[in-house]
Amino acid sequence: DAGVIQSPRHEVTEMGQEVTLRCKPISGHNSLFWYRQTMMRGLELLIYFNNNVPIDDSGMPEDRFSAKMPNASFSTLKIQPSEPRDSAVYFCASSLVGARGTEAFFGQGTRLTVV
Amino acid sequence: AQSVAQPEDQVNVAEGNPLTVKCTYSVSGNPYLFWYVQYPNRGLQFLLKYITGDNLVKGSYGFEAEFNKSQTSFHLKKPSALVSDSALYFCAVRDIGGTASKLTFGTGTRLQVTL
């Protein structure tokens, strides 16, 4: 398996524009997580899904952020409108919840810069 | 709510010396505990996990960690550090109370190994 695939790897956009980050989890995994990493705040959990259903979105900063998982092989994180303070590295991770396969595997991340 | 504390922002150690990176956790049920490593401009890589059984778990690159339930700790250790071990290390906890559970990370500890 190619692992968790995120796209794009880098995104530079202007304030006010819509940004969509994409994630393809590892095939067969049933949990998916979106994290944001900044120097100031560290690694923050934004939202996670189990079997394509959002379980906890309490980490989503505000209504400008939304996430979807239309099927088991694809998820998006959308920011509309984007602001400079959204600049960060966004990670997607997936895992198989069960007796043994509980670790999460991370993608390479999307580095977002909002100017 | 579950949480993870990594009390040290940075740990400095000389190559060849033993290293310890500290982690304590808080969960309401039984914990699944993890250590991850992050190299610059990369995603998080899984090192090792504790689910049940032997309190001393061994992982990748010669790392090990000891689960201590009474102290709610899961410190990462290595008998002999290498310069190539220099990276950012994250401890994480998952409260397996059902099929849906979030993965919570600590703030990370930067390990610096010098010659």
Side-chain angles (χ1 to χ4, degrees):
Chain A
D1 199 313
V4 176
I5 299 173
Q6 291 187 246
S7 64
R9 289 293 310 275
H10 302 274
E11 176 80 35
V12 180
T13 190
E14 291 185 347
M15 181 175 62
Q17 296 297 306
E18 176 180 298
V19 175
T20 299
L21 311 181
R22 297 172 175 81
C23 175
K24 176 177 167 48
I26 292 173
S27 177
H29 281 186
N30 56 5
S31 283
L32 184 139
F33 307 82
W34 281 101
Y35 290 90
R36 177 172 70 176
Q37 186 177 33
T38 61
M39 288 293 292
M40 292 296 294
R41 302 171 74 95
L43 196 62
E44 303 173 275
L45 175 63
L46 300 178
I47 184 171
Y48 78 99
F49 297 82
N50 205 53
N51 294 318
N52 312 337
V53 176
I55 302 299
D56 186 344
D57 64 355
S58 59
M60 296 285 261
E62 47 199 274
D63 291 346
R64 297 185 296 106
F65 285 69
S66 62
K68 294 182 179 180
M69 192 164 186
N71 56 62
S73 60
F74 184 65
S75 177
T76 60
L77 178 68
K78 185 178 294 186
I79 307 172
Q80 166 63 19
S82 58
E83 296 182 2
R85 59 192 168 123
D86 302 331
S87 297
V89 181
Y90 291 81
F91 288 105
C92 175
S94 71
S95 75
L96 179 63
V97 179
R100 293 295 176 188
T102 54
E103 65 266 31
F105 294 85
F106 280 72
Q108 293 298 299
T110 295
R111 183 175 295 278
L112 173 65
T113 303
V114 183
V115 298
Chain B
Q2 60 191 42
S3 65
V4 176
Q6 293 183 243
E8 302 153 316
D9 289 338
Q10 181 156 328
V11 170
N12 298 307
V13 65
E15 188 174 57
N17 284 358
L19 69 88
T20 299
V21 183
K22 296 179 180 177
C23 170
T24 58
Y25 66 91
S26 174
V27 294
S28 56
N30 293 319
Y32 284 11
L33 295 157
F34 309 86
W35 276 100
Y36 286 79
V37 60
Q38 185 181 31
Y39 297 99
N41 301 314
R42 303 293 299 274
L44 278 70
Q45 298 176 31
F46 168 74
L47 273 181
L48 51 80
K49 65 182 177 184
Y50 170 81
I51 297 177
T52 186
D54 194 347
N55 289 343
L56 183 65
V57 294
K58 295 185 184 297
S60 306
Y61 312 119
F63 284 93
E64 58 189 30
E66 186 166 13
F67 171 63
N68 187 317
K69 188 172 183 179
S70 63
Q71 297 184 4
T72 61
S73 67
F74 189 57
H75 300 332
L76 180 70
K77 301 181 180 183
K78 188 174 182 181
S80 179
L82 298 172
V83 171
S84 57
D85 293 331
S86 299
L88 188 57
Y89 290 81
F90 290 93
C91 180
V93 66
R94 201 167 191 178
D95 182 358
I96 303 296
T99 58
S101 62
K102 68 166 62 176
L103 184 60
T104 301
F105 283 84
T107 51
T109 298
R110 187 164 301 279
L111 174 66
Q112 186 68 46
V113 182
T114 54
L115 290 170

